[in-house]
Amino acid sequence: MTETDETSPARRSIGATRNPASQDAILAAAEAVLLENGLGGFSIEAVARRARAGKPTIYRWWPSQAALLFDVYHNRKRINFIHPDTGNVRDDLRAYLSGLLQTWREGGSGEVFRSLVAKAQGEPAALAALSAYMAERREQSGRIIEKAQARGEVRADVPPTLVPELLSSFAWGRLLTERLEVSDAEIDAVVDAVLSGIKP
Amino acid sequence: MTETDETSPARRSIGATRNPASQDAILAAAEAVLLENGLGGFSIEAVARRARAGKPTIYRWWPSQAALLFDVYHNRKRINFIHPDTGNVRDDLRAYLSGLLQTWREGGSGEVFRSLVAKAQGEPAALAALSAYMAERREQSGRIIEKAQARGEVRADVPPTLVPELLSSFAWGRLLTERLEVSDAEIDAVVDAVLSGIKP
Amino acid sequence: MTETDETSPARRSIGATRNPASQDAILAAAEAVLLENGLGGFSIEAVARRARAGKPTIYRWWPSQAALLFDVYHNRKRINFIHPDTGNVRDDLRAYLSGLLQTWREGGSGEVFRSLVAKAQGEPAALAALSAYMAERREQSGRIIEKAQARGEVRADVPPTLVPELLSSFAWGRLLTERLEVSDAEIDAVVDAVLSGIKP
Amino acid sequence: MTETDETSPARRSIGATRNPASQDAILAAAEAVLLENGLGGFSIEAVARRARAGKPTIYRWWPSQAALLFDVYHNRKRINFIHPDTGNVRDDLRAYLSGLLQTWREGGSGEVFRSLVAKAQGEPAALAALSAYMAERREQSGRIIEKAQARGEVRADVPPTLVPELLSSFAWGRLLTERLEVSDAEIDAVVDAVLSGIKP
DNA sequence: TACTAAGCGAGACGGTACGTCCCGTCTTGTC
DNA sequence: GACAAGACGGGACGTACCGTCTCGCTTAGTA
């Protein structure tokens, strides 16, 4: 009935240095608490209980709930963001968008990110970090467009980050209104709208 | 120093029926608390204090913080959503997007909506309400595309709600990462990308 | 599952005069609420719900919870206080004490009185009323001693109310510590102590 | 105007162990609130405010208002219960009774105990604790009678706790009806009634 | 080899807010 | 003018977390 893992033998300090076992246990507990109880049931207390960790240990390394969620999201090895390079901008963008949606649909990643975005709205520092992270992601994904421009597939005057922002904003909108189930046809429609426009 | 309006003569019950004065005072107080203290400082207690209302009076009519924020957002008369009809799809979409961003930039509307989206992530019922509201808004804004399709400006096979969703998602993304200052050139770039595509 | 008696057809006013049916319903509901939920669950709200009465109707006629409990205790027809007159002071006192304890043991009278004493401790007006009531009761019961003095069974210098006070205080003590089960032998011991003393 | 003692420097936790300073402050505040505002104005909230303590700190150590009042009553160093041993049962009992009444008359002890008895009527656990405490007190005071029996001053068949119960019940009755001012003559009359009886 | 310094689990602390229950008052519309 | 009904401002309830603190411990690195 207890939330703590009773088999584990209560970690101790390993000296005047950060204990990686504690760090891992806290991140794992944070993820578990969030996925089991939802954002409303997520609290530092609950994470500490679950991880058999002291609250100060958490506060020592993460300044806020949002910072903790940020690390939970980041440390998921499952998150292999796709930087596709098929040599074809249409396929690249389809892979980018469907990969993003797929990642969020699987294994609770979307729930974690959704919660992170929500928590960040109440913590300016966390929001700044999130914004910076998103800017970097846009920059990375902008490579898709830059390569396409080099190949002559995309007009040279298009800002490279604009298209990734449109697609990832679309994904955010779906994530935050719980409509992540997007069909391939819809993905095509979105990508085609951005690529070829909606004019006849 | 006190938060309450000391000049007002302390509302009373007006019988076994809802008191509109209380309702108004609560909504006004909720908006004021949110804008002054931010989402982190927003609480039912603070709203009740500010409105000189009892907490049960608030809980009687709004089941959650998100529901209250929803009403605050809705009851703002300033929110005149633009349903532009210039006879030209490009101008319509530019007016739609810039109107949305402008509305959120002014008078705290954006802060309210941002907070509502965040709070809704932790309250399934509120999230469902928000999703339904957004669906309705997409439907309304889809008229822009339907009219353009009737005029032959937009391909007939484009789902009418797709474009409003792309544009409003773009606006959400900016709102939630505090980058609402969008230049006319950026708006044009977004609208043109969707209209004409990014291909040469 | 509801507490209200749904079969009864919601009494109405009978004009500009007190409605005895409401009064009865309120007293009955008060007793029922107290006996079912204990003193901790006793409230004017609960009584009003149960009696299908408006709260103002209760407050119109009883100034406080203690006043209501006082009436509940009084209006119990079952309370036939014994003013025994066996012609023998020992039997009179035994009947008096055992009658008091018996009354409290039966049908919730003790629970009501216990609650009344407790509530009165926080309401000076109610405590004054209770004290006056107890003084009158002592006076009445003092007749037992006065008659015994007239018969020469009791010393003339004994204040007549002293013995009833000793016995009723003993009963209060038992009531307030939930030890109302007193054997006849104990009653005899108490009465004999007061009558003949404990000296050899 | 504030209730809190502004000179004190805001206690902190002293680690994972109970802070005696907090405990003392809470007991002192509880006593002060009760004596200043009466039982009706006594609340955990008020005690917490007065003691500059958090409500959870109070609830951590005392399960209920009655439990807190119990400790307030107990921890009064002024309560020096008299276990008189004059070698004379009459003087012992007079000292016992007058000591009890005197204690309750002084410094608010009576008010505290009166409130404790009242609160306990609504909390079964507290009432059980109070009953057990009273039983122990009767046992202790019964020594007076046991010694007197050993000296031959009291009949051997008298239950030793009976007389203390009669006297303390008399005192309870006076306490709970606010008639603690008992003259020496009345005390003598009560003690003599129990000692020698009321028969001629 | 002893000492220092920092990390650790633990949990109490002063607080704030939660969502609920009840207080006593008020007003409405019916009788 | 009494009645059922129920909303009102307000206050207290008992609980969950917040972020901070001190404790007693364990160990790594320094002296």
Side-chain angles (χ1 to χ4, degrees), chain A residues 124-179:
Chain A
L127 188 49
L130 178 61
S131 288
Y133 169 72
M134 294 311 296
E136 190 206 316
R137 297 270 297 111
R138 278 195 304 275
E139 212 67 44
Q140 283 181 353
S141 308
R143 304 288 159 82
I144 294 172
I145 304 303
E146 289 171 357
K147 287 176 193 160
Q149 287 172 324
R151 287 193 303 263
E153 286 186 296
V154 167
R155 290 202 317 271
D157 65 322
V158 170
T161 59
L162 176 67
V163 173
E165 181 171 6
L166 277 172
L167 298 187
S168 84
S169 292
F170 173 79
W172 274 45
R174 292 302 181 101
L175 176 67
L176 294 170
T177 53
E178 290 192 318
R179 295 178 300 133

Short mmCIF file of all heavy atoms in Angstrom, two decimals, chain A residues 124-179:
data_model
loop_
_atom_site.label_atom_id
_atom_site.label_comp_id
_atom_site.label_asym_id
_atom_site.label_seq_id
_atom_site.Cartn_x
_atom_site.Cartn_y
_atom_site.Cartn_z
N PRO A 124 8.42 32.05 -13.85
CA PRO A 124 9.13 32.79 -14.91
C PRO A 124 10.47 32.18 -15.28
O PRO A 124 10.79 32.04 -16.47
CB PRO A 124 9.30 34.18 -14.30
CG PRO A 124 8.15 34.31 -13.37
CD PRO A 124 7.92 32.93 -12.81
N ALA A 125 11.24 31.74 -14.31
CA ALA A 125 12.56 31.19 -14.61
C ALA A 125 12.42 29.93 -15.46
O ALA A 125 13.14 29.73 -16.45
CB ALA A 125 13.32 30.88 -13.32
N ALA A 126 11.48 29.08 -15.07
CA ALA A 126 11.29 27.85 -15.82
C ALA A 126 10.78 28.14 -17.22
O ALA A 126 11.15 27.48 -18.19
CB ALA A 126 10.30 26.94 -15.08
N LEU A 127 9.93 29.15 -17.33
CA LEU A 127 9.40 29.51 -18.64
C LEU A 127 10.52 30.01 -19.54
O LEU A 127 10.57 29.67 -20.73
CB LEU A 127 8.31 30.57 -18.49
CG LEU A 127 7.53 30.91 -19.76
CD1 LEU A 127 7.05 29.65 -20.46
CD2 LEU A 127 6.35 31.80 -19.43
N ALA A 128 11.44 30.77 -18.98
CA ALA A 128 12.57 31.25 -19.76
C ALA A 128 13.41 30.07 -20.25
O ALA A 128 13.84 30.02 -21.41
CB ALA A 128 13.42 32.21 -18.92
N ALA A 129 13.64 29.11 -19.36
CA ALA A 129 14.42 27.94 -19.75
C ALA A 129 13.72 27.17 -20.85
O ALA A 129 14.35 26.73 -21.83
CB ALA A 129 14.65 27.04 -18.53
N LEU A 130 12.41 27.02 -20.69
CA LEU A 130 11.65 26.30 -21.70
C LEU A 130 11.71 27.03 -23.04
O LEU A 130 11.90 26.41 -24.10
CB LEU A 130 10.20 26.14 -21.24
CG LEU A 130 9.25 25.45 -22.21
CD1 LEU A 130 9.70 24.04 -22.50
CD2 LEU A 130 7.82 25.45 -21.67
N SER A 131 11.57 28.35 -22.98
CA SER A 131 11.61 29.14 -24.22
C SER A 131 12.96 28.98 -24.90
O SER A 131 13.03 28.80 -26.14
CB SER A 131 11.35 30.62 -23.91
OG SER A 131 9.99 30.81 -23.58
N ALA A 132 14.02 29.04 -24.12
CA ALA A 132 15.35 28.88 -24.69
C ALA A 132 15.51 27.52 -25.33
O ALA A 132 16.06 27.37 -26.43
CB ALA A 132 16.41 29.10 -23.61
N TYR A 133 15.01 26.51 -24.64
CA TYR A 133 15.07 25.15 -25.17
C TYR A 133 14.32 25.06 -26.49
O TYR A 133 14.81 24.47 -27.46
CB TYR A 133 14.49 24.19 -24.13
CG TYR A 133 14.26 22.80 -24.64
CD1 TYR A 133 15.32 21.94 -24.88
CD2 TYR A 133 12.97 22.34 -24.88
CE1 TYR A 133 15.10 20.66 -25.37
CE2 TYR A 133 12.74 21.06 -25.35
CZ TYR A 133 13.81 20.22 -25.59
OH TYR A 133 13.58 18.96 -26.07
N MET A 134 13.14 25.66 -26.50
CA MET A 134 12.36 25.60 -27.74
C MET A 134 13.07 26.34 -28.88
O MET A 134 13.04 25.89 -30.04
CB MET A 134 10.97 26.21 -27.52
CG MET A 134 10.10 25.42 -26.55
SD MET A 134 10.04 23.64 -26.89
CE MET A 134 9.27 23.63 -28.50
N ALA A 135 13.70 27.46 -28.56
CA ALA A 135 14.42 28.21 -29.60
C ALA A 135 15.53 27.35 -30.19
O ALA A 135 15.73 27.30 -31.41
CB ALA A 135 14.98 29.49 -29.01
N GLU A 136 16.21 26.64 -29.32
CA GLU A 136 17.29 25.78 -29.80
C GLU A 136 16.74 24.66 -30.68
O GLU A 136 17.31 24.34 -31.72
CB GLU A 136 18.02 25.19 -28.57
CG GLU A 136 19.30 24.47 -28.92
CD GLU A 136 19.62 23.41 -27.87
OE1 GLU A 136 19.48 23.71 -26.66
OE2 GLU A 136 19.97 22.27 -28.26
N ARG A 137 15.62 24.10 -30.24
CA ARG A 137 15.00 23.04 -31.03
C ARG A 137 14.59 23.56 -32.41
O ARG A 137 14.76 22.87 -33.41
CB ARG A 137 13.79 22.47 -30.28
CG ARG A 137 14.12 21.81 -28.97
CD ARG A 137 14.43 20.33 -29.09
NE ARG A 137 13.27 19.58 -29.56
CZ ARG A 137 13.20 19.02 -30.75
NH1 ARG A 137 14.23 19.11 -31.58
NH2 ARG A 137 12.13 18.36 -31.12
N ARG A 138 14.03 24.77 -32.41
CA ARG A 138 13.65 25.34 -33.71
C ARG A 138 14.87 25.50 -34.61
O ARG A 138 14.82 25.23 -35.81
CB ARG A 138 12.98 26.71 -33.51
CG ARG A 138 11.52 26.64 -33.16
CD ARG A 138 10.85 28.00 -33.34
NE ARG A 138 11.50 29.05 -32.57
CZ ARG A 138 11.24 29.32 -31.30
NH1 ARG A 138 10.35 28.59 -30.63
NH2 ARG A 138 11.86 30.28 -30.67
N GLU A 139 15.95 25.96 -33.99
CA GLU A 139 17.18 26.16 -34.75
C GLU A 139 17.63 24.84 -35.38
O GLU A 139 17.93 24.77 -36.58
CB GLU A 139 18.26 26.69 -33.80
CG GLU A 139 19.26 27.62 -34.45
CD GLU A 139 18.61 28.93 -34.87
OE1 GLU A 139 17.82 29.49 -34.07
OE2 GLU A 139 18.88 29.37 -36.00
N GLN A 140 17.63 23.80 -34.55
CA GLN A 140 18.03 22.49 -35.05
C GLN A 140 17.14 22.04 -36.19
O GLN A 140 17.60 21.62 -37.25
CB GLN A 140 17.97 21.45 -33.93
CG GLN A 140 19.13 21.52 -32.95
CD GLN A 140 19.01 20.46 -31.89
OE1 GLN A 140 18.00 19.75 -31.80
NE2 GLN A 140 20.04 20.33 -31.05
N SER A 141 15.84 22.12 -35.95
CA SER A 141 14.91 21.63 -36.98
C SER A 141 14.94 22.52 -38.21
O SER A 141 14.56 22.07 -39.31
CB SER A 141 13.49 21.58 -36.40
OG SER A 141 13.51 20.84 -35.20
N GLY A 142 15.37 23.74 -38.03
CA GLY A 142 15.49 24.64 -39.18
C GLY A 142 16.46 24.12 -40.23
O GLY A 142 16.37 24.49 -41.41
N ARG A 143 17.35 23.23 -39.82
CA ARG A 143 18.30 22.65 -40.77
C ARG A 143 17.57 21.96 -41.93
O ARG A 143 18.04 21.98 -43.07
CB ARG A 143 19.20 21.60 -40.08
CG ARG A 143 19.96 22.12 -38.91
CD ARG A 143 21.08 23.05 -39.32
NE ARG A 143 21.46 23.92 -38.21
CZ ARG A 143 22.29 23.56 -37.22
NH1 ARG A 143 22.85 22.37 -37.24
NH2 ARG A 143 22.57 24.40 -36.25
N ILE A 144 16.43 21.38 -41.59
CA ILE A 144 15.65 20.73 -42.65
C ILE A 144 15.37 21.73 -43.76
O ILE A 144 15.57 21.44 -44.96
CB ILE A 144 14.32 20.18 -42.07
CG1 ILE A 144 14.60 19.04 -41.08
CG2 ILE A 144 13.40 19.70 -43.19
CD1 ILE A 144 13.35 18.57 -40.33
N ILE A 145 14.94 22.91 -43.36
CA ILE A 145 14.59 23.94 -44.35
C ILE A 145 15.85 24.46 -45.04
O ILE A 145 15.87 24.66 -46.27
CB ILE A 145 13.82 25.07 -43.68
CG1 ILE A 145 12.57 24.53 -42.97
CG2 ILE A 145 13.43 26.15 -44.71
CD1 ILE A 145 11.64 23.76 -43.88
N GLU A 146 16.90 24.66 -44.24
CA GLU A 146 18.13 25.18 -44.85
C GLU A 146 18.65 24.25 -45.93
O GLU A 146 19.05 24.68 -47.02
CB GLU A 146 19.19 25.40 -43.76
CG GLU A 146 18.85 26.58 -42.85
CD GLU A 146 19.77 26.67 -41.64
OE1 GLU A 146 20.64 25.77 -41.49
OE2 GLU A 146 19.61 27.61 -40.84
N LYS A 147 18.60 22.95 -45.61
CA LYS A 147 19.06 22.00 -46.63
C LYS A 147 18.17 22.05 -47.86
O LYS A 147 18.65 22.00 -49.00
CB LYS A 147 19.07 20.58 -46.06
CG LYS A 147 20.20 20.33 -45.07
CD LYS A 147 20.07 18.92 -44.50
CE LYS A 147 20.98 18.73 -43.29
NZ LYS A 147 20.52 17.59 -42.46
N ALA A 148 16.87 22.15 -47.62
CA ALA A 148 15.94 22.20 -48.75
C ALA A 148 16.17 23.46 -49.58
O ALA A 148 16.07 23.43 -50.81
CB ALA A 148 14.50 22.15 -48.24
N GLN A 149 16.48 24.56 -48.89
CA GLN A 149 16.80 25.78 -49.64
C GLN A 149 18.04 25.58 -50.49
O GLN A 149 18.11 26.01 -51.64
CB GLN A 149 16.97 26.95 -48.66
CG GLN A 149 15.64 27.43 -48.07
CD GLN A 149 15.81 28.45 -46.96
OE1 GLN A 149 16.77 28.36 -46.18
NE2 GLN A 149 14.88 29.39 -46.87
N ALA A 150 19.04 24.90 -49.94
CA ALA A 150 20.26 24.64 -50.68
C ALA A 150 19.96 23.78 -51.91
O ALA A 150 20.59 23.93 -52.96
CB ALA A 150 21.29 23.94 -49.78
N ARG A 151 18.98 22.89 -51.76
CA ARG A 151 18.60 22.03 -52.89
C ARG A 151 17.65 22.75 -53.85
O ARG A 151 17.27 22.18 -54.86
CB ARG A 151 17.91 20.76 -52.37
CG ARG A 151 18.82 19.77 -51.71
CD ARG A 151 18.09 18.42 -51.53
NE ARG A 151 16.86 18.55 -50.76
CZ ARG A 151 16.76 18.31 -49.45
NH1 ARG A 151 17.82 17.93 -48.75
NH2 ARG A 151 15.62 18.44 -48.85
N GLY A 152 17.21 23.95 -53.47
CA GLY A 152 16.28 24.67 -54.33
C GLY A 152 14.83 24.24 -54.17
O GLY A 152 13.96 24.61 -54.96
N GLU A 153 14.56 23.46 -53.09
CA GLU A 153 13.18 23.01 -52.90
C GLU A 153 12.32 24.05 -52.19
O GLU A 153 11.10 23.95 -52.17
CB GLU A 153 13.16 21.72 -52.06
CG GLU A 153 13.60 20.48 -52.81
CD GLU A 153 13.41 19.24 -51.95
OE1 GLU A 153 14.06 19.13 -50.89
OE2 GLU A 153 12.58 18.40 -52.31
N VAL A 154 12.98 24.98 -51.50
CA VAL A 154 12.26 25.97 -50.71
C VAL A 154 12.79 27.35 -51.10
O VAL A 154 13.99 27.52 -51.31
CB VAL A 154 12.45 25.72 -49.21
CG1 VAL A 154 11.99 26.92 -48.39
CG2 VAL A 154 11.70 24.45 -48.79
N ARG A 155 11.85 28.30 -51.14
CA ARG A 155 12.25 29.66 -51.49
C ARG A 155 13.30 30.17 -50.51
O ARG A 155 13.26 29.90 -49.31
CB ARG A 155 11.06 30.61 -51.45
CG ARG A 155 10.02 30.39 -52.56
CD ARG A 155 9.20 31.66 -52.76
NE ARG A 155 8.83 32.27 -51.49
CZ ARG A 155 7.72 31.97 -50.82
NH1 ARG A 155 6.87 31.07 -51.30
NH2 ARG A 155 7.45 32.56 -49.69
N ALA A 156 14.24 30.94 -51.02
CA ALA A 156 15.37 31.38 -50.20
C ALA A 156 14.97 32.41 -49.16
O ALA A 156 15.66 32.59 -48.15
CB ALA A 156 16.47 31.96 -51.09
N ASP A 157 13.84 33.09 -49.40
CA ASP A 157 13.47 34.16 -48.47
C ASP A 157 12.64 33.67 -47.30
O ASP A 157 12.19 34.47 -46.48
CB ASP A 157 12.71 35.26 -49.23
CG ASP A 157 11.38 34.74 -49.76
OD1 ASP A 157 11.35 33.57 -50.19
OD2 ASP A 157 10.38 35.48 -49.70
N VAL A 158 12.41 32.36 -47.21
CA VAL A 158 11.63 31.83 -46.08
C VAL A 158 12.53 31.69 -44.87
O VAL A 158 13.59 31.07 -44.96
CB VAL A 158 11.02 30.46 -46.46
CG1 VAL A 158 10.42 29.80 -45.23
CG2 VAL A 158 9.99 30.61 -47.57
N PRO A 159 12.15 32.28 -43.74
CA PRO A 159 12.97 32.11 -42.52
C PRO A 159 13.00 30.63 -42.15
O PRO A 159 11.93 30.02 -42.01
CB PRO A 159 12.24 32.93 -41.46
CG PRO A 159 11.25 33.78 -42.20
CD PRO A 159 10.95 33.08 -43.49
N PRO A 160 14.18 30.05 -41.97
CA PRO A 160 14.25 28.59 -41.78
C PRO A 160 13.50 28.08 -40.56
O PRO A 160 13.00 26.96 -40.55
CB PRO A 160 15.77 28.33 -41.63
CG PRO A 160 16.43 29.52 -42.24
CD PRO A 160 15.51 30.67 -42.02
N THR A 161 13.41 28.90 -39.51
CA THR A 161 12.75 28.39 -38.30
C THR A 161 11.23 28.51 -38.38
O THR A 161 10.52 27.99 -37.52
CB THR A 161 13.23 29.15 -37.05
OG1 THR A 161 12.94 30.54 -37.23
CG2 THR A 161 14.73 28.98 -36.84
N LEU A 162 10.73 29.22 -39.38
CA LEU A 162 9.29 29.46 -39.42
C LEU A 162 8.49 28.17 -39.55
O LEU A 162 7.51 27.93 -38.83
CB LEU A 162 8.95 30.39 -40.60
CG LEU A 162 7.46 30.65 -40.80
CD1 LEU A 162 6.90 31.44 -39.64
CD2 LEU A 162 7.21 31.38 -42.12
N VAL A 163 8.92 27.31 -40.47
CA VAL A 163 8.15 26.09 -40.71
C VAL A 163 8.20 25.14 -39.51
O VAL A 163 7.16 24.64 -39.07
CB VAL A 163 8.63 25.41 -42.00
CG1 VAL A 163 7.95 24.06 -42.16
CG2 VAL A 163 8.34 26.31 -43.19
N PRO A 164 9.39 24.88 -38.94
CA PRO A 164 9.39 24.06 -37.72
C PRO A 164 8.51 24.65 -36.62
O PRO A 164 7.83 23.91 -35.90
CB PRO A 164 10.86 24.07 -37.29
CG PRO A 164 11.62 24.34 -38.52
CD PRO A 164 10.74 25.19 -39.39
N GLU A 165 8.47 25.98 -36.53
CA GLU A 165 7.62 26.57 -35.49
C GLU A 165 6.15 26.30 -35.79
O GLU A 165 5.38 25.97 -34.89
CB GLU A 165 7.87 28.08 -35.39
CG GLU A 165 7.00 28.69 -34.30
CD GLU A 165 7.36 30.13 -34.00
OE1 GLU A 165 8.20 30.71 -34.70
OE2 GLU A 165 6.78 30.67 -33.02
N LEU A 166 5.77 26.42 -37.06
CA LEU A 166 4.37 26.16 -37.39
C LEU A 166 4.00 24.72 -37.06
O LEU A 166 2.94 24.45 -36.48
CB LEU A 166 4.12 26.43 -38.88
CG LEU A 166 3.87 27.90 -39.27
CD1 LEU A 166 3.85 28.05 -40.78
CD2 LEU A 166 2.56 28.38 -38.67
N LEU A 167 4.88 23.80 -37.43
CA LEU A 167 4.56 22.39 -37.20
C LEU A 167 4.58 22.05 -35.71
O LEU A 167 3.71 21.32 -35.21
CB LEU A 167 5.53 21.49 -37.98
CG LEU A 167 5.51 21.64 -39.50
CD1 LEU A 167 6.40 20.58 -40.15
CD2 LEU A 167 4.09 21.54 -40.04
N SER A 168 5.57 22.56 -34.99
CA SER A 168 5.64 22.18 -33.58
C SER A 168 4.54 22.90 -32.79
O SER A 168 4.00 22.36 -31.82
CB SER A 168 7.02 22.47 -33.00
OG SER A 168 7.14 23.81 -32.58
N SER A 169 4.15 24.09 -33.21
CA SER A 169 3.03 24.75 -32.55
C SER A 169 1.75 23.95 -32.76
O SER A 169 0.94 23.80 -31.84
CB SER A 169 2.84 26.17 -33.10
OG SER A 169 3.92 26.99 -32.73
N PHE A 170 1.58 23.46 -33.99
CA PHE A 170 0.43 22.59 -34.25
C PHE A 170 0.43 21.40 -33.29
O PHE A 170 -0.59 21.05 -32.70
CB PHE A 170 0.49 22.10 -35.70
CG PHE A 170 -0.53 21.08 -36.05
CD1 PHE A 170 -1.84 21.44 -36.32
CD2 PHE A 170 -0.20 19.73 -36.10
CE1 PHE A 170 -2.80 20.49 -36.64
CE2 PHE A 170 -1.15 18.77 -36.42
CZ PHE A 170 -2.45 19.15 -36.69
N ALA A 171 1.61 20.80 -33.11
CA ALA A 171 1.71 19.66 -32.20
C ALA A 171 1.42 20.07 -30.75
O ALA A 171 0.73 19.37 -30.02
CB ALA A 171 3.09 19.04 -32.30
N TRP A 172 1.95 21.23 -30.31
CA TRP A 172 1.63 21.74 -28.98
C TRP A 172 0.12 21.87 -28.81
O TRP A 172 -0.44 21.46 -27.79
CB TRP A 172 2.26 23.13 -28.77
CG TRP A 172 3.65 23.14 -28.28
CD1 TRP A 172 4.68 22.37 -28.72
CD2 TRP A 172 4.18 23.98 -27.25
NE1 TRP A 172 5.83 22.68 -28.04
CE2 TRP A 172 5.55 23.66 -27.13
CE3 TRP A 172 3.66 24.95 -26.43
CZ2 TRP A 172 6.39 24.30 -26.21
CZ3 TRP A 172 4.48 25.60 -25.52
CH2 TRP A 172 5.84 25.26 -25.41
N GLY A 173 -0.51 22.47 -29.80
CA GLY A 173 -1.96 22.67 -29.69
C GLY A 173 -2.69 21.36 -29.50
O GLY A 173 -3.59 21.24 -28.66
N ARG A 174 -2.27 20.35 -30.24
CA ARG A 174 -2.90 19.04 -30.09
C ARG A 174 -2.59 18.44 -28.72
O ARG A 174 -3.47 17.87 -28.06
CB ARG A 174 -2.43 18.09 -31.20
CG ARG A 174 -2.93 18.48 -32.60
CD ARG A 174 -4.45 18.52 -32.61
NE ARG A 174 -5.01 18.87 -33.91
CZ ARG A 174 -5.51 17.96 -34.76
NH1 ARG A 174 -5.46 16.67 -34.45
NH2 ARG A 174 -6.03 18.35 -35.91
N LEU A 175 -1.34 18.59 -28.28
CA LEU A 175 -0.95 18.03 -26.99
C LEU A 175 -1.76 18.66 -25.86
O LEU A 175 -2.27 17.97 -24.96
CB LEU A 175 0.54 18.30 -26.75
CG LEU A 175 1.11 17.87 -25.40
CD1 LEU A 175 1.10 16.36 -25.25
CD2 LEU A 175 2.55 18.38 -25.22
N LEU A 176 -1.92 19.97 -25.91
CA LEU A 176 -2.54 20.69 -24.80
C LEU A 176 -4.05 20.61 -24.82
O LEU A 176 -4.72 21.05 -23.87
CB LEU A 176 -2.09 22.16 -24.82
CG LEU A 176 -0.60 22.36 -24.56
CD1 LEU A 176 -0.20 23.80 -24.83
CD2 LEU A 176 -0.25 22.01 -23.12
N THR A 177 -4.61 20.09 -25.88
CA THR A 177 -6.06 19.85 -25.88
C THR A 177 -6.38 18.38 -26.05
O THR A 177 -7.49 18.00 -26.43
CB THR A 177 -6.75 20.67 -26.99
OG1 THR A 177 -6.11 20.39 -28.24
CG2 THR A 177 -6.65 22.16 -26.71
N GLU A 178 -5.38 17.55 -25.78
CA GLU A 178 -5.57 16.10 -25.77
C GLU A 178 -6.15 15.56 -27.07
O GLU A 178 -7.12 14.82 -27.07
CB GLU A 178 -6.44 15.69 -24.58
CG GLU A 178 -5.69 15.86 -23.26
CD GLU A 178 -6.41 15.19 -22.11
OE1 GLU A 178 -7.63 15.32 -22.05
OE2 GLU A 178 -5.74 14.54 -21.28
N ARG A 179 -5.55 15.98 -28.16
CA ARG A 179 -5.97 15.43 -29.46
C ARG A 179 -4.73 14.99 -30.23
O ARG A 179 -4.53 15.36 -31.38
CB ARG A 179 -6.75 16.50 -30.25
CG ARG A 179 -8.08 16.89 -29.58
CD ARG A 179 -8.79 17.97 -30.39
NE ARG A 179 -7.95 19.15 -30.49
CZ ARG A 179 -7.71 19.81 -31.61
NH1 ARG A 179 -8.24 19.42 -32.75
NH2 ARG A 179 -6.95 20.89 -31.60
#
